[in-house]
Amino acid sequence: MTDVDLVVLNFNADHLTLLNGILAVVMFSIALDLAPADFKRLMFAPKPVVTGLCSQFLVLPSLTFLLVLLVQPRPSIALGLILIAACPGGNISNFITHRAGGNAALSVSMTAFATVGAIVATPFNIAFWGSLYGPTRAILQETHIDKVSVAITVSFMLALPLILGIFINQFRPKLASLLRQPLRIVSMGIFVGFVVVAVLANWSLFLAYVGTVAVLVVFHNGLALGAGYLLATVAGVSAYDRRAITIETGIQNSGLGLVLIFGFFGGLGGMTVVAAGWGIWHAISGLALASFMARKAIKKPVEVIP
């Protein structure tokens, strides 16, 4: 069997452009739930969002690096774990938080803030943590990843659709109401279908190497969920907000991860299998956790907004 570090998966430029477009539409549909008032609310009660962002962009990448040092997987697998940890929360986190009986509005807000923050935080975390581990540093040096190019990719794919969605929701609320649910269902359906087709196109390679990373992906995802829960508990946020932070930390934007892997790392095998594995597993674990959480109803805190 060929070394996973040398495997390159079948994914051309047209596929990458299509994936960019799909993720932009998914982000736009989420942004249709947001309004400037949501950001004003967070100015007076910022702790849950700040806790969630710290969990995503500080705690999870740090723990991922420790995991890599402890396990020392193949370099491309290690860099795949680091890259996924550097991505913002995934788009399905909002739906899963709602199913869990958590603060869905906070989840959407964290997705929005993390998306904007990812313009800087994602390329920084990939470069910083990847450079601290010798084998992954070698990959970064070979690919000559441009942090500015990553930031531009994230901006066009996530940040601009976010701004446009908020603008339409604020100034064309009837149009936003008309588009919101159908667009979200259709875009998520297309995204899931796209990932399935991409995996099937590389099925033999995926099947050959998924066993190599399956345990790591499951453990890494559990680490993310646990980190979100623990930090939210230590920060003293409500149980309602804690559910949102836990899920937001454990549901990463693997779609963005795939875009970055194919766009900047040439579809490197270990990285791709990690991202694809995450994309499948975090949906399973997230829905299972949501079902478990939903069994225990919690009281929604009363918000006081000046």
Side-chain angles (χ1 to χ4, degrees), residues 88-126:
N91 299 317
I92 62 170
S93 61
N94 315 134
F95 167 74
I96 292 177
T97 298
H98 176 73
R99 288 285 301 270
N103 190 342
L106 172 61
S107 178
V108 172
S109 298
M110 281 192 293
T111 298
F113 276 94
T115 296
V116 175
I119 295 173
V120 175
T122 294
F124 172 81
N125 274 327
I126 294 171

Side-chain angles (χ1 to χ4, degrees), residues 11-72:
F11 200 87
N12 61 40
D14 292 336
H15 292 156
L16 184 60
T17 300
L18 180 59
L19 181 56
N20 275 321
I22 292 171
L23 290 176
V25 173
V26 172
M27 192 68 241
F28 173 71
S29 68
I30 291 172
L32 290 173
D33 277 327
L34 290 167
D38 296 316
F39 297 90
K40 179 182 177 182
R41 181 183 294 110
L42 294 172
M43 288 175 61
F44 294 102
K47 185 163 76 170
V49 171
V50 172
T51 301
L53 292 178
C54 287
S55 180
Q56 283 187 332
F57 290 129
L58 295 177
V59 176
L60 180 57
S62 303
L63 291 176
T64 301
F65 179 70
L66 292 178
L67 175 63
V68 167
L69 288 182
L70 179 65
V71 178
Q72 296 190 9

Side-chain angles (χ1 to χ4, degrees), residues 9-264:
L9 274 71
N10 176 33
F11 200 87
N12 61 40
D14 292 336
H15 292 156
L16 184 60
T17 300
L18 180 59
L19 181 56
N20 275 321
I22 292 171
L23 290 176
V25 173
V26 172
M27 192 68 241
F28 173 71
S29 68
I30 291 172
L32 290 173
D33 277 327
L34 290 167
D38 296 316
F39 297 90
K40 179 182 177 182
R41 181 183 294 110
L42 294 172
M43 288 175 61
F44 294 102
K47 185 163 76 170
V49 171
V50 172
T51 301
L53 292 178
C54 287
S55 180
Q56 283 187 332
F57 290 129
L58 295 177
V59 176
L60 180 57
S62 303
L63 291 176
T64 301
F65 179 70
L66 292 178
L67 175 63
V68 167
L69 288 182
L70 179 65
V71 178
Q72 296 190 9
R74 298 296 302 169
S76 64
I77 294 173
L79 191 56
L81 294 172
I82 291 171
L83 183 143
I84 285 295
C87 288
N91 299 317
I92 62 170
S93 61
N94 315 134
F95 167 74
I96 292 177
T97 298
H98 176 73
R99 288 285 301 270
N103 190 342
L106 172 61
S107 178
V108 172
S109 298
M110 281 192 293
T111 298
F113 276 94
T115 296
V116 175
I119 295 173
V120 175
T122 294
F124 172 81
N125 274 327
I126 294 171
F128 178 75
W129 296 107
S131 66
L132 291 183
Y133 182 59
T136 55
R137 181 170 61 246
I139 296 176
L140 291 176
Q141 289 171 344
E142 289 174 6
T143 52
H144 301 290
I145 185 169
D146 184 352
K147 287 180 285 197
V148 175
S149 295
V150 175
I152 292 172
T153 298
V154 174
S155 298
F156 276 98
M157 193 174 67
L158 299 181
L160 288 182
L162 175 70
I163 294 169
L164 180 60
I166 294 172
F167 179 85
I168 291 178
N169 190 33
Q170 176 69 14
F171 296 103
R172 295 290 187 271
K174 290 183 179 179
L175 177 60
S177 179
L178 183 66
L179 292 174
R180 187 177 295 119
Q181 195 62 22
L183 194 61
R184 181 170 295 186
I185 293 172
V186 170
S187 61
M188 285 302 299
I190 294 173
F191 173 67
V192 171
F194 181 89
V195 172
V196 169
V197 170
V199 170
L200 288 177
N202 296 278
W203 183 245
S204 59
L205 290 173
F206 184 77
L207 202 61
Y209 294 102
V210 70
T212 307
V213 301
V215 174
L216 267 177
V217 166
V218 171
F219 185 81
H220 190 213
N221 178 242
L223 192 66
L225 291 168
Y229 181 86
L230 182 60
L231 187 62
T233 301
V234 171
V237 303
S238 68
Y240 187 56
D241 291 341
R242 184 167 62 233
R243 291 186 179 185
I245 293 170
T246 300
I247 292 169
E248 195 72 18
T249 308
I251 303 296
Q252 294 297 90
N253 195 331
S254 55
L256 173 61
L258 287 171
V259 167
L260 297 179
I261 290 165
F262 285 111
F264 296 95

